[in-house]
Amino acid sequence: MNKKVIGISASIYNETEKEFLGSQYAYLPQDYINAIHSFNSIAIILPVTEDRDIIKEYVSKIDALILSGGYDVSPNLYKQNPKEKLGETMPLRDYFEINLIVEAVNQRKPIFGICRGMQLINIAFGGSLFQDLSYRKEENIQHVQKSNAINTSHFVYLSGELSTFFNKEKILVNSFHHQGIDKLANGFKVLAHSDDNLIEAIFSNEKDTWILGVQWHPEMSFTSDENSKKIFKYFIDNIF
Ligand code: MN
């Protein structure tokens, strides 16, 4: 059987050592790659570009797309000015990944967004974010955990396809995000939420699309947590 080919969006790492200042590196944590390899699938790193033809070609060469974690998304994309607690943004990467989403939808390739990836999906389809969770009215649980990322830290309550797939009401996940979904994009439903009623997973499978987003980092807890393996399996099993 042919192996499934999964493209993962990369980031850009800016060198901080003074001898190499100005150097930039295409950057992707190895965890994503290890997770995909463990399913006997091929991982392709997709480097940031603003060339729409290259983006289109990238998508044509993969069976499915993973949008990886990272920087805050520019609030200009959901028509807001930056607030005090907004973190660092990278508009070039925003542009690259939004066009990856557009192409993946056009070419009917499944999409799995992780952390920033889920937030970007929500924005690409017209939703908005809390620029920092302290701007919510609700009191938050700890969404930036202080223990290592291999450890899970808070519960999420599953619904719809995820509660069916896991055959569970709730699972534990890790948490490393200071932003979250405010207005949910049209066409998406919530498949997981936390005790403070923050959206932790979104899903859309209308009109030949299959788009899943999770706010946690299953790739980081992949080897230590069965549920983290399982959410990757759910994605891989749905690549047609
Ligand atoms: Mn969380």
Side-chain angles (χ1 to χ4, degrees), residues 143 154 174-175 177 200 215:
H143 286 286
H154 73 63
N174 61 12
S175 196
H177 57 107
E200 289 270 347
Q215 185 60 80

Side-chain angles (χ1 to χ4, degrees), residues 9-13 25-29 45 68 93:
S9 63
S11 188
I12 295 173
Y13 176 77
Y25 309 103
Y27 168 80
L28 182 77
I45 301 173
S68 61
R93 184 175 168 195

Side-chain angles (χ1 to χ4, degrees), residues 88-125:
E88 190 177 352
T89 61
M90 188 189 280
L92 177 59
R93 184 175 168 195
D94 295 344
Y95 179 87
F96 166 60
E97 288 182 314
I98 283 177
N99 282 291
L100 275 178
I101 293 169
V102 169
E103 269 310 320
V105 169
N106 284 344
Q107 298 184 35
R108 299 178 181 183
K109 309 280 170 87
I111 304 173
F112 182 25
I114 292 177
C115 197
R116 165 196 161 85
M118 178 187 87
Q119 296 171 353
L120 197 72
I121 288 165
N122 187 57
I123 293 165
F125 289 92

